[in-house]
Amino acid sequence: MEWVDGLNRTIAYMEEHLTDEIDCGELARLACCSVYHYQRMFACMAGVSLSEYIRRRRMSRAAADLQAGKKVIDTGLKYGYQSPTAFNRAFQAVHGVAPSAIREPGVTVKSFPPLRFTVVIKGAEEMEYRIEKREAFRIVGIAAPLDRELEKNFAAVPQMWGRAAADGTIERLAGMMDGLPAGLLGISACGDREDWRYWIAVASSQPAGDFQEYTVPAATWAVFPGEGTNVSMQELERRIITEWLPTSGYEYGSAPDVEVYLNPDPDNARYEVWIPVVKRG
């Protein structure tokens, strides 16, 4: 199907450009979504981040080159490592041995073949969702920049929530909430033409004061309810991308991702995951 074909086109593009700088914008274009959503989708479908997949593929090819007699320094340069130290570090992280040792007797290396995406239809658990069209809405809260490599944000976002809870920010924001969606919001505003930022905020018409404000654009969202912990939310997000999206008739839209927290208990939360969507053409 079209959605999976787009992902497989990105794999072919990466294979053709393993010795070049890989253009994430081109990958997103081939997959018909934003750079942010492509990285999210890739990680959920592949079980590994985009940057780690590229590193493994390059180091697989590098190992083959070294076994064929290529010099270490030339091989490192070929795959984009200007420093022998950086190449050595990357090679050892994947293979567990230094590149200089690859031709020694008994040394083993790992092979990571190119991915190929398919959709497997199986009897999974049911998923509740609704489709919501919303006009633009204003939020107030705090924001922090996000790195363009998504995995680099995995520690930063939870730390941001921890600080907001400890310093009273969440309590103050809850008192300003007077709009929809009702709840504490975690918003990833990561459009291709804007600086990427993560928001902890509420929908509000009140003056921002010492908070920042942002307008979430009008869009259509697929809304998935859930309950449990942060881990259960991550599992729901994974299922949305791997089970629901491929066969839904929708693809990612260009609006932010929104997490709506409906109660404050982090260990027994009720929440909704809002994924921006457009009808697949």
Side-chain angles (χ1 to χ4, degrees), residues 68-96:
K70 302 293 185 184
K71 293 181 179 178
V72 171
I73 191 168
D74 293 340
T75 303
L77 287 170
K78 178 180 178 180
Y79 293 101
Y81 293 87
Q82 302 303 316
S83 157
T85 301
F87 176 59
N88 184 73
R89 188 185 306 118
F91 193 91
Q92 287 206 57
V94 171
H95 296 291

Side-chain angles (χ1 to χ4, degrees), residues 9 16 22 36 45 50 54 56 59-60 65 83-84 87 107 149 153-156 161 165 168 170 235 238 246 250 273:
R9 284 195 295 271
E16 292 171 7
I22 291 176
Y36 171 79
M45 294 290 286
L50 175 64
I54 293 171
R56 291 180 182 181
M59 292 305 100
S60 291
D65 288 352
S83 157
F87 176 59
V107 170
E149 288 188 26
N153 303 302
F154 290 162
W161 278 97
I170 287 177
E235 175 59 18
R238 186 196 66 78
Y250 289 93
V273 175

Side-chain angles (χ1 to χ4, degrees), residues 17-256:
H17 293 84
L18 283 178
T19 58
D20 308 320
E21 175 135 5
I22 291 176
D23 181 359
C24 203
E26 179 63 13
L27 295 176
R29 187 192 69 77
L30 291 169
C32 301
C33 62
S34 70
V35 170
Y36 171 79
H37 285 128
Y38 175 73
Q39 289 188 64
R40 285 199 68 200
M41 187 166 56
F42 185 93
C44 285
M45 294 290 286
V48 64
S49 71
L50 175 64
S51 61
E52 177 62 18
Y53 172 77
I54 293 171
R55 183 166 67 108
R56 291 180 182 181
R57 284 297 302 136
R58 283 175 170 158
M59 292 305 100
S60 291
R61 291 262 290 264
D65 288 352
L66 292 169
Q67 287 170 330
K70 302 293 185 184
K71 293 181 179 178
V72 171
I73 191 168
D74 293 340
T75 303
L77 287 170
K78 178 180 178 180
Y79 293 101
Y81 293 87
Q82 302 303 316
S83 157
T85 301
F87 176 59
N88 184 73
R89 188 185 306 118
F91 193 91
Q92 287 206 57
V94 171
H95 296 291
V97 296
S100 58
I102 196 169
R103 290 193 294 273
E104 293 178 4
V107 170
T108 60
V109 293
K110 297 174 184 175
S111 175
F112 295 94
L115 285 172
R116 174 142 188 96
F117 292 105
T118 59
V119 173
V120 177
I121 307 299
K122 58 182 181 180
E125 295 177 49
E126 64 184 23
M127 295 183 72
E128 294 183 2
Y129 74 96
R130 66 183 188 274
I131 300 296
E132 282 211 14
K133 285 187 176 181
R134 283 200 174 272
E135 296 301 317
F137 60 93
R138 173 181 177 266
I139 62 171
V140 296
I142 58 173
L146 288 176
D147 196 280
R148 292 266 168 171
E149 288 188 26
L150 286 189
E151 63 271 21
K152 293 183 178 179
N153 303 302
F154 290 162
V157 169
Q159 289 169 3
M160 183 179 171
W161 278 97
R163 289 191 299 271
D167 66 14
T169 295
I170 287 177
E171 187 175 352
R172 289 176 59 206
L173 286 172
M176 299 177 68
M177 180 172 47
D178 62 8
L180 296 175
L184 194 62
L185 309 177
I187 296 181
S188 299
C190 301
D192 287 345
R193 299 183 180 179
E194 64 183 342
D195 293 334
W196 288 12
R197 293 193 294 173
Y198 182 83
W199 288 81
I200 298 174
V202 294
S204 178
S205 62
Q206 298 185 31
D210 59 350
F211 289 121
Q212 301 176 66
E213 61 180 271
Y214 175 76
T215 299
V216 177
T220 299
W221 276 274
V223 181
F224 297 80
E227 56 184 31
T229 64
N230 182 53
V231 172
S232 63
M233 175 178 279
Q234 291 172 0
E235 175 59 18
L236 175 59
E237 291 172 342
R238 186 196 66 78
R239 289 191 61 209
I240 292 168
I241 292 171
T242 60
E243 297 177 23
W244 182 81
L245 193 58
T247 56
S248 66
Y250 289 93
E251 58 190 33
Y252 267 122
S254 58

